[in-house]
């Protein structure tokens, strides 16, 4: 039987489309029936949820429907565009304060509209700037008389210019789903899965998503498509894993690491249980012949570096080299100093390679790395330059991995022959999301902080409280403690920021803190200047470090107990969390002050509130995701993540877990998807995820 998952059918021959519209659709990326049927509504209006206009209650969020009875411009203190709608039971006014000419053009008396917004009261009920959808004239009978659920499709400029709106999409889809020849989509889920999850069959699900018969059926269709979104991805992860595991090209680090034991026995503190567990997981992976691909998640200050050091010692004691790549020079330098010190008694060769390593040193280091000798090298992007070669790279560790692109991470691992890979991140993400974003990696989590950490009190203050804040900071400084004062970095203009931070520094050192030493650090300083400043701060020769976000990662000064963040509203949540992680590192109580102007946006307010409520990086990351959307955070397109039609890994985690469980189960029972009952699935994946499936290399 012919199936319609392909390019077979020329869209222009579908009723309601024609050659012109087909062209517009193709401009939007809809070229085939398959593309079109997977273009889903963005929302639905259901008659049963519509509030009658005589039953409105102030402050309620509502969707209403009515016919436009009047429309025009009123001049109050400023111009207002208004419409009055009626549904036969009552009247309601909606107003807009801007884009007046535009609204004048689009709203026509006699047409039906649906409006959504909060009911307010101003000489009668009103909606101010409601969301609106124009319903045209004919369809409304349909909605009212048959109780249909009306789908609304995503608009785009391309569509608007061509006059393609939801109304037209509804007509087109109505024709498609009436046509049995078109509505023939092969079922690729095996029967067992269909009954396990009680799915609508595929064709029926498409029917219901575009033209729902009831809320219940719509929910079922939505469920199936969300599940599908996750399933494809998890299936590929499962296949990738099965494939990787069966390719024993990596290194087995079987020797016990004598240096690791010595380090462990001489630590100045006790490792947390979480650290021990994670080291064990890594050690196990490293023993295997297949290359380790592990993500280590742990909140700021949870002690990931030590774990990385231990992994590197394992590589070393097996005769290999290990590299640690970090995103900034200052962090590389700090790691280098700390690690060298820690490993001094163990007789390990530790080197530093950054952009500012002098040519002579660099050349010597390159020669040494080319030799086949155990060696730990710590560095920045400088490590992945073409001219750097490793004689025997066994382990590549990438710290703060979110700061690197996929390609950069790959390049480091290509410096060896299938070395083990450990990527570390202090931007923890919830498990389900990790499964989506890093599904082919194994994940270790340090979910416990060292016990000596004091909690940090975080407060939000407006700019008019500056004097009080300075007074508070002075008191701490007099007691011998230190402070960070952070200015935001605006990406468009590094110069301006610098100006803000430099002027801030100037003002602070002359006025509220004239009795103290104030140092300035910013991204444009040379590495040795930064290091010099940092050293002075470490020695408490500088009492206040004014900086842009360059101190964001890694820096460790236990005596710094205060962080004042200027214009905190300009920072992202995870940035704020990272910054705050610089304090609370010692015995003394720490304070983080988030300072903002009085008037800041809604989302900024929420971010700042979250910071004052919790210190748990996992919770913060999750809330951040909810505020920002996960696609935004991970740059869905550029990271090669599929663009989900409906699924959202944050809100739909139960479905994600189900899809993952089922996908891994199938691959376990049939790693090449060769069984008859999996043939459909295999074909479907080969067809629609060709590139990725080729990488996995099954057919
Ligand atoms: P992060 O996970 O943010 O990279 P680090 O590895 O930089 O954290 O560790 C932060 C600080 O905590 C370092 O000074 C480190 O020496 C110290 N540390 C690590 N593990 C422990 C522990 N188990 N107990 C006490 N301090 C620890
Ligand atoms: Mg770290």
């Amino acid at each position: 039987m012919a199936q319609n998952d392909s390019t077979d059918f020329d869209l222009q021959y579908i009723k309601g489309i024609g050659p012109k519209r087909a062209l517009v659709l193709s401009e939007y990326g809809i070229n085939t029936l398959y593309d079109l049927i997977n273009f889903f509504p963005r929302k639905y209006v259901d008659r049963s949820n519509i509030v009658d206009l005589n039953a409105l209650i102030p402050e309620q969020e509502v969707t209403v429907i009515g016919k436009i009875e009047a429309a025009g411009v009123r001049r109050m203190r400023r111009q207002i565009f208004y419409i009055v709608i009626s549904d036969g039971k009552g009247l309601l006014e909606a107003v807009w304060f801007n884009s007046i000419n535009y609204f004048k053009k689009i709203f026509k008396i006699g047409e039906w509209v649906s409006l959504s917004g909060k009911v307010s009261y101003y000489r009668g009920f009103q909606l101010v700037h409601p969301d609106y959808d124009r319903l045209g004239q004919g369809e409304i009978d349909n909605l009212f008389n048959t109780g249909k659920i009306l789908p609304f499709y995503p608009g785009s400029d391309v569509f608007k210019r061509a006059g393609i709106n939801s109304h037209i999409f509804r007509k087109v889809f109505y024709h498609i789903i009436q046509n049995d020849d078109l509505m023939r989509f092969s079922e690729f889920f095996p029967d067992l899965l269909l009954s396990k999850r009680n799915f609508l069959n595929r064709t029926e699900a498409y029917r219901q998503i575009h033209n729902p018969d009831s809320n219940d059926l719509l929910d079922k269709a939505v469920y199936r498509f969300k599940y599908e979104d996750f399933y494809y991805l998890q299936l590929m992860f499962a296949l990738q894993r099965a494939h990787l595991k069966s390719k024993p090209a990596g290194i087995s680090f079987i020797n016990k690491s004598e240096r690791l034991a010595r380090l462990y026995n001489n630590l100045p503190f006790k490792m947390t249980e979480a650290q021990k567990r994670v080291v064990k997981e890594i050690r196990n992976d490293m023993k295997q012949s297949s290359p380790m691909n592990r993500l280590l998640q742990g909140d700021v200050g949870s002690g990931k570096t030590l774990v990385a050091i231990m992994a590197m010692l394992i590589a070393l004691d097996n005769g290999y080299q290990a590299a640690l790549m970090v995103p900034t020079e200052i962090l590389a330098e700090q790691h280098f100093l700390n690690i060298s010190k820690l490993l001094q008694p163990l007789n390990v060769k530790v080197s530093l390679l950054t952009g500012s390593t002098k040519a002579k040193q660099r050349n010597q280091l390159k020669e040494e790395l080319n030799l086949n000798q155990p060696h730990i090298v710590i560095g920045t992007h400088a490590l992945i330059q073409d001219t750097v070669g490793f004689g025997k790279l066994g382990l590549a560790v990438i710290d703060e991995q979110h700061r690197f692109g996929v390609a950069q991470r790959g390049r480091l691992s290509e410096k060896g022959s299938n070395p083990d890979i450990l990527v570390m991140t202090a931007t923890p993400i919830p498990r389900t999301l990790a499964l989506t974003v890093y599904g082919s990696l194994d994940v270790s989590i340090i979910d416990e902080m060292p016990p000596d950490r004091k909690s940090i009190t975080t407060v939000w203050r407006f700019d008019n409280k500056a004097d009080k804040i300075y007074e508070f900071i002075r008191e701490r400084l007099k007691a011998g403690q230190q402070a960070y004062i952070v200015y935001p970095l605006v990406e468009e203009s590094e110069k301006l920021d610098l100006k803000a931070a430099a002027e801030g520094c100037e003002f602070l050192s002359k006025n509220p803190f004239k009795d103290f030493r104030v140092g300035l650090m910013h991204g444009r300083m040379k590495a040795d200047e930064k290091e010099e400043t940092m050293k002075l701060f470490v020695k408490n020769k500088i009492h206040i470090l004014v900086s842009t976000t360059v101190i964001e990662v890694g820096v460790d000064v236990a005596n710094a107990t205060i962080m004042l963040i200027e214009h905190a509203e300009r920072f992202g949540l995870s940035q704020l969390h990272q910054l705050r992680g610089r304090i609370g590192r010692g015995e003394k109580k720490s304070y983080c002050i988030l300072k903002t102007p009085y008037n800041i946006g809604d989302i900024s307010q929420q971010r700042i509130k979250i910071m004052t409520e919790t210190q748990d990086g996992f919770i913060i990351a999750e809330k951040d995701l909810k505020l920002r959307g996960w696609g935004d955070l991970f740059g869905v397109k550029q990271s090669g993540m599929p663009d989900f039609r409906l699924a959202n890994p944050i809100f739909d985690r139960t479905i994600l877990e189900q899809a993952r469980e089922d996908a891994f189960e199938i691959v376990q029972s049939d790693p090449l998807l060769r069984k008859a009952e999996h043939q459909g699935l295999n074909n479907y994946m080969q067809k629609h995820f060709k590139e990725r499936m080729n990488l996995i290399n099954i057919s």
Side-chain angles (χ1 to χ4, degrees), residues 298-305 326 331 335 399-400 424-426 553-555 578 582 585:
D299 210 341
V300 196
S302 62
K304 294 184 293 293
T305 314
V326 302
L331 190 53
H335 273 319
D399 196 9
E400 311 290 343
M424 309 201 290
T425 174
V553 284
V555 193
Q578 294 280 330
R582 300 302 111 221
R585 296 192 155 236

Side-chain angles (χ1 to χ4, degrees), residues 299-300 426-429 577 580 614-622:
D299 210 341
V300 196
T427 317
I429 55 174
H577 179 63
R580 183 171 59 181
T614 180
Q615 219 175 301
D616 183 326
F618 282 86
I619 295 176
I620 289 175
E622 193 165 344

